[in-house]
Amino acid sequence: MAARAPVVGRAVHRLGKARLTVTPRPAEDGSCQVTVVLSVRGRWLLRPVAAVALVFARGPIERRFREGVDSAAEEWAEMLAEVVPLHGEALRAEIADALTEPPEPVESPEPLPRTL
């Protein structure tokens, strides 16, 4: 039985539906391999238009996704480097502070699309 993807996104529009799953797994070299699956279902006119658009947009979409994942991995590694030296009470205090402080607002460089 396959494990459930830890990240699942869905978008619904009157002309179609989309589902995105992201599943990480360890690679043979010790790194992490991420599988991303996007399935789109649409109505009659949307299907051929979306198919043609994806033929041309796949490269740039894939590149931006890889850049985003690499950036997130670098930030995560930096944060872990700060936490790893902590032990015992210092580690508990750091976790407690992180859980009780309000999160910092994240500003997106581009506005997110409202619909598909």
Side-chain angles (χ1 to χ4, degrees):
M1 185 164 129
R4 226 171 107 185
V7 177
V8 177
R10 290 187 179 103
V12 178
H13 187 272
R14 63 185 172 93
L15 295 178
K17 298 177 186 177
R19 184 171 193 263
L20 173 82
T21 59
V22 180
T23 309
R25 69 175 182 261
E28 291 179 9
D29 64 356
S31 64
C32 185
Q33 183 176 4
V34 178
T35 302
V36 179
V37 177
L38 174 65
S39 32
V40 181
R41 296 183 180 261
R43 294 198 176 195
W44 60 278
L45 185 59
L46 187 61
R47 287 180 185 194
V49 173
V52 170
L54 285 174
V55 166
F56 294 106
R58 180 179 179 184
I61 289 171
E62 216 173 85
R63 187 172 36 260
R64 297 244 353 231
F65 180 78
R66 288 180 191 272
E67 290 169 358
V69 169
D70 289 343
S71 173
E74 288 173 9
E75 289 178 25
W76 190 42
E78 288 174 12
M79 288 189 299
L80 283 179
E82 295 173 6
V83 174
V84 169
L86 299 176
H87 296 288
E89 190 57 40
L91 181 58
R92 279 191 284 280
E94 183 71 25
I95 292 170
D97 286 345
L99 291 173
T100 57
E101 292 177 7
E104 297 177 14
V106 178
E107 293 185 26
S108 177
E110 301 172 11
L112 297 174
R114 297 187 70 131
T115 60
L116 264 180

